[in-house]
Amino acid sequence: LDARSTNIQVTVKDGGLKLLQIQDNGTGIRKEDMEIVCERFTTSKLQTFEDLSAIATYGFRGEALASISHVAHVTITTKTADAKCAYKASYSDGKLKGPPKPCAGNQGTQILVEDLFYNVSTRRKALKSPSDEYSRIVDVVSRYAIHNSGKSFSVKKQGETVADVRTLPNASVVDNIRGVFGNAVSRELIEVGCEDQKLAYKMKGYISNANYSVKKCILILFINHRLVESSALKKAIETVYAAYLPKNTHPFLYLSLEIAPQNVDVNVHPTKHEVHFLHEDSVIESVQKHVESKLLGSNSSRTYFTQTLLPGLSVSGGGEVKSTSAAAESSERVYAHQMVRTDCRAQKLDAFLQPKEKSPPDPEPAGPSGSKAATKTAKPDSVEMDETDDADMMEALAEQEAEVPKGHEDNANGVQRKRPRKEQQQQEEEEDLRAAATPERRVIKLNSIKELRGEITENTHKGLQEMLQNHSFVGCVNPQWTLIQHHTKLYLLNTTKLSQELFYQILIYDFGNFGVLRLSTPAPLYDLAMLALDSEESGWTEEDGPKEGLAQYIVDFLKKKAEMLEDYFSMEIDQEGNLTGLPLLLDKYTPVMEGLPMFILRLATEVNWDNEKECFRDFSKECSVFYSIRKQYILEAESGEEQV
């Protein structure tokens, strides 16, 4: 099949033990490749090493042919399209017995395996009777014949003229099912097909309707065109059919799933009999729902046979009765494992956690974090705003209050009595205050920023985006890991990575429009650089030169870039080489200052300042790492939990 053949003939003698011949009309094997064709690890299906992570073929010559040549006599006859004649060669223990001999032959390859397990008597004895082995061969080939419509398959015993399985090259999937499993099942088939971009899979196939049942479930399952088994999928679909079929009867199913090759692990079973893939439960649930919806749609009529009763009773005998099912109109069935509370207004875990000591009510509103440790770090930072900003804010507020009529002032005094109006007034004040305090938003027309925004949009994962938009927050496991719920699934989020990505996107999308987070005391860049070089994280060695010289170089370098940093990123550096302001990326959020020395060092060493796009990307990445919630800094603050 990988060689693009359209006609495959299998001839068997004694269940494949005496002789097993497979002939195709594919591309054939070149004469120069015939020497190594039965050696281990041989393949012509991989072009680069990366192809191993996205395998979409059936297997390598170096797997099947190599192993068979050790336990049987293998003869290969092959001819490529441009060869003048075919070549024939025999193999033993993976090696060529003699040079390939030219002979007559059609295009394609014929592989002849004789005396299987002639040298492994215990393995040969473990095989069942020849008729059982032959029926297994017929079963496998017939299933591949159903899946590969448009290609001709035939299986026959040696010496017989009539094939036990034969499919035509122009036959459809239903024609092939009729040829293999009979007319009774092909009459009762429903076509199914669905696609889910979020889970990255496609499904198509045919399933029997509620009028057909057999004693044993027949599931022909192909994942990425490979015949496999999945007990979980089988069980899920049988659960659906249990509501429609009589007890102890089962359906017929042919399903073909196409999943992104990098999401499928084909090597979890020695014979590749089973595969595992990403989001297995979600994919199975999606397939289950689709099958159920198709069954509901086809269930508007059911056929029941009635027995003729004694004469004299007014019942029509021997006929068929059509009954319309009310189930078609009923809403979709909800399974027990889907009955999970996901209302965002529902009670959270916080209700079950008692604080160690209740603090007196604070007149100021609480921030997003409830612990005192968090407010302790937040308060100095919130105070560390420049006095001129405070003056501007007070002036704007005074102007706003002057415009407020007396009636509103009365409402301001009677907070308890007229609360909604007070809130409305406060909201108006805040809006005017924002308009007065913040400058008009700059429109950035730089191509480099547009390209970086385009990259973010292009790499957006729709599933993750939808999950973050509609999740319910459960609680924090520790500073690095957070639990959220989305639909019926519980997810563990890496807060560090998530906050890093958030700040990177803020830096790119709000480029040139940041507020300033002023430091209460200007931080000398020289001291910050020395602190960073003293830490192990910097990786400084004596070969790099004296630390003082490097620190001075960093100060001089960043002072040269000060104008650009202030204009685009609101990062302020004065003439004396002091850091006076950082970008305000998120309202009421201040980064942990322990990471500032490394941030300054990495700005000088890790950012490509020569290329505009690379410079903006590198700066944004370094800045987002500094602003992100990082475990090594937060755990230290939590060690004194007795104070909480």
Side-chain angles (χ1 to χ4, degrees):
L1 288 168
D2 286 338
R4 296 189 286 279
S5 56
T6 56
N7 186 358
I8 297 169
Q9 299 170 16
V10 181
T11 309
V12 182
K13 182 179 180 183
D14 282 353
L17 295 174
K18 282 283 182 194
L19 176 140
L20 180 64
Q21 179 184 295
I22 301 162
Q23 185 166 358
D24 66 50
N25 63 345
T27 52
I29 303 168
R30 292 175 301 179
K31 185 193 173 188
E32 53 267 31
D33 290 341
M34 290 191 74
E35 187 178 346
I36 60 164
V37 79
C38 281
E39 287 189 18
R40 289 186 75 194
F41 314 118
T42 307
T43 183
S44 59
K45 298 175 186 179
L46 297 177
Q47 303 301 319
T48 63
F49 179 77
E50 285 72 28
D51 291 349
L52 279 169
S53 60
I55 292 173
T57 54
Y58 286 105
F60 305 148
R61 298 168 189 164
E63 291 180 304
L65 285 177
S67 55
I68 289 172
S69 69
H70 283 80
V71 293
H73 303 298
V74 177
T75 307
I76 296 177
T77 308
T78 185
K79 178 183 181 297
T80 55
D82 52 356
K84 291 180 181 176
C85 63
Y87 288 92
K88 187 175 185 177
S90 296
Y91 298 85
S92 178
D93 295 335
K95 301 291 182 191
L96 196 63
K97 281 186 177 176
K101 296 175 184 174
C103 64
N106 298 325
Q107 184 189 328
T109 305
Q110 183 196 81
I111 296 175
L112 186 66
V113 178
E114 296 173 289
D115 299 324
L116 190 62
F117 299 124
Y118 72 95
N119 54 354
V120 191
S121 56
T122 49
R123 183 72 184 80
R124 193 182 177 105
K125 284 174 188 172
L127 293 171
K128 296 188 175 179
S129 65
S131 58
D132 281 348
E133 296 299 329
Y134 180 67
S135 66
R136 287 186 179 188
I137 293 169
V138 168
D139 187 51
V140 170
V141 175
S142 60
R143 285 167 188 247
Y144 272 100
I146 288 169
H147 181 69
N148 293 280
S149 58
K151 293 177 178 153
S152 170
F153 286 79
S154 72
V155 182
K156 64 174 185 177
K157 291 180 180 174
Q158 192 190 34
E160 291 190 8
T161 52
V162 180
D164 290 295
V165 173
R166 183 172 180 77
T167 60
L168 300 173
N170 56 353
S172 66
V173 173
V174 178
D175 293 335
N176 290 343
I177 291 174
R178 185 184 293 116
V180 175
F181 289 98
N183 212 12
V185 65
S186 67
R187 275 201 308 259
E188 307 288 356
L189 291 178
I190 310 165
E191 188 173 3
V192 291
C194 68
E195 185 174 353
D196 192 323
Q197 289 186 340
K198 191 172 98 170
L199 296 170
Y201 87 95
K202 281 188 206 169
M203 189 267 286
K204 61 178 184 177
Y206 290 88
I207 60 171
S208 61
N209 62 22
N211 291 329
Y212 180 83
S213 61
V214 281
K215 287 183 179 177
K216 192 177 180 185
C217 180
I218 300 170
L219 172 61
I220 303 170
L221 175 64
F222 281 82
I223 295 179
N224 289 359
H225 311 293
R226 188 187 287 273
L227 180 65
V228 293
E229 286 187 4
S230 171
S231 54
L233 181 62
K234 189 175 181 180
K235 189 176 178 182
I237 293 176
E238 286 217 76
T239 308
V240 175
Y241 272 95
Y244 300 90
L245 300 182
K247 199 175 180 183
N248 297 329
T249 61
H250 304 276
F252 169 90
L253 308 148
Y254 156 64
L255 299 175
S256 170
L257 268 72
E258 285 185 46
I259 302 169
Q262 63 270 22
N263 291 354
V264 182
D265 188 352
V266 296
N267 291 315
V268 295
H269 195 279
T271 63
K272 295 188 171 58
H273 201 51
E274 291 179 20
V275 295
H276 287 317
F277 46 91
L278 273 181
H279 315 303
E280 198 161 334
D281 293 343
S282 302
V283 170
I284 287 172
E285 192 175 316
S286 175
V287 170
Q288 183 186 30
K289 281 184 179 175
H290 184 72
V291 167
E292 183 164 33
S293 68
K294 285 288 183 182
L295 277 177
L296 278 170
S298 71
N299 200 27
S300 55
S301 69
R302 291 281 298 270
T303 307
Y304 300 99
F305 290 93
T306 59
Q307 187 179 357
T308 309
L309 294 178
L310 294 170
L313 293 173
S314 59
V315 175
S316 58
E320 291 185 357
V321 179
K322 294 264 181 179
S323 75
T324 304
S325 166
E329 289 81 35
S330 67
S331 60
E332 195 175 344
R333 182 147 58 107
V334 179
Y335 294 94
H337 69 277
Q338 293 168 332
M339 295 179 187
V340 178
R341 183 183 67 230
T342 55
D343 189 352
C344 61
R345 295 164 299 175
Q347 195 175 24
K348 299 284 193 306
L349 281 181
D350 303 357
F352 300 97
L353 301 172
Q354 295 295 328
K356 288 193 177 176
E357 53 182 68
K358 292 192 176 181
S359 56
D362 195 349
E364 292 179 7
S369 166
S371 69
K372 275 194 183 174
T375 51
K376 274 183 186 173
T377 54
K379 275 181 185 174
D381 297 333
S382 58
V383 173
E384 290 167 3
M385 302 299 287
D386 195 43
E387 290 174 11
T388 55
D389 281 3
D390 289 345
D392 291 344
M393 287 169 117
M394 291 304 290
E395 191 181 332
L397 189 60
E399 286 173 12
Q400 178 63 28
E401 283 175 353
E403 291 171 14
V404 175
K406 286 185 179 178
H408 283 263
E409 286 177 10
D410 294 342
N411 288 331
N413 295 329
V415 179
Q416 300 299 329
R417 289 184 292 108
K418 307 240 179 172
R419 196 167 182 179
R421 197 171 240 185
K422 164 66 182 163
E423 284 176 3
Q424 185 184 351
Q425 176 201 343
Q426 198 175 347
Q427 190 178 349
E428 286 170 7
E429 282 179 13
E430 282 176 6
E431 282 173 8
D432 289 347
L433 180 62
R434 276 201 293 271
T438 56
E440 193 177 336
R441 188 176 175 83
R442 277 199 291 174
V443 178
I444 304 296
K445 294 182 178 178
L446 294 171
N447 284 335
S448 53
I449 290 297
K450 287 180 180 176
E451 285 171 20
L452 288 169
R453 287 173 183 171
E455 285 174 15
I456 292 172
T457 309
E458 193 180 327
N459 295 326
T460 301
H461 189 286
K462 295 282 185 246
L464 273 176
Q465 196 177 43
E466 197 267 334
M467 185 180 85
L468 288 170
Q469 281 172 346
N470 303 312
H471 74 273
S472 297
F473 175 74
V474 176
C476 291
V477 180
N478 62 27
Q480 191 177 6
W481 298 101
T482 303
L483 279 173
I484 65 163
Q485 184 179 335
H486 181 249
H487 295 322
T488 58
K489 300 283 188 298
L490 196 64
Y491 294 95
L492 194 63
L493 295 188
N494 187 329
T495 318
T496 307
K497 292 268 179 74
L498 199 64
S499 59
Q500 201 171 315
E501 183 61 31
L502 167 70
F503 288 120
Y504 175 74
Q505 292 190 20
I506 289 173
L507 282 156
I508 298 299
Y509 281 103
D510 285 350
F511 184 86
N513 289 289
F514 303 112
V516 182
L517 188 70
R518 300 216 185 277
L519 302 179
S520 56
T521 310
L525 290 176
Y526 181 83
D527 294 349
L528 290 171
M530 285 299 290
L531 277 170
L533 290 166
D534 287 338
S535 69
E536 289 181 14
E537 200 182 340
S538 67
W540 177 85
T541 57
E542 290 180 5
E543 294 170 8
D544 299 328
K547 290 180 184 177
E548 291 77 10
L550 286 171
Q552 193 55 49
Y553 165 77
I554 291 169
V555 174
D556 297 339
F557 184 80
L558 290 177
K559 273 167 70 177
K560 285 182 205 167
K561 308 291 179 187
E563 190 180 347
M564 185 268 278
L565 289 173
E566 184 177 355
D567 186 32
Y568 288 152
F569 295 105
S570 300
M571 184 172 169
E572 297 181 354
I573 298 170
D574 62 17
Q575 290 301 313
E576 286 75 43
N578 296 323
L579 180 69
T580 58
L582 288 166
L584 182 66
L585 300 188
L586 209 59
D587 197 23
K588 297 180 184 174
Y589 178 80
T590 308
V592 180
M593 291 299 168
E594 282 85 347
L596 188 58
M598 268 320 287
F599 172 54
I600 296 298
L601 175 66
R602 290 180 69 86
L603 281 189
T605 58
E606 300 298 322
V607 177
N608 179 359
W609 295 94
D610 301 325
N611 178 293
E612 184 182 292
K613 183 180 171 183
E614 293 295 321
C615 170
F616 293 156
R617 179 194 278 133
D618 293 347
F619 181 92
S620 299
K621 282 189 175 171
E622 293 303 329
C623 195
S624 65
V625 169
F626 166 52
Y627 273 74
S628 64
I629 300 164
R630 286 182 284 177
K631 185 181 173 184
Q632 69 255 41
Y633 299 128
I634 299 171
L635 279 178
E636 292 172 12
E638 284 202 349
S639 60
E641 267 186 333
E642 292 76 15
Q643 301 169 9
V644 177

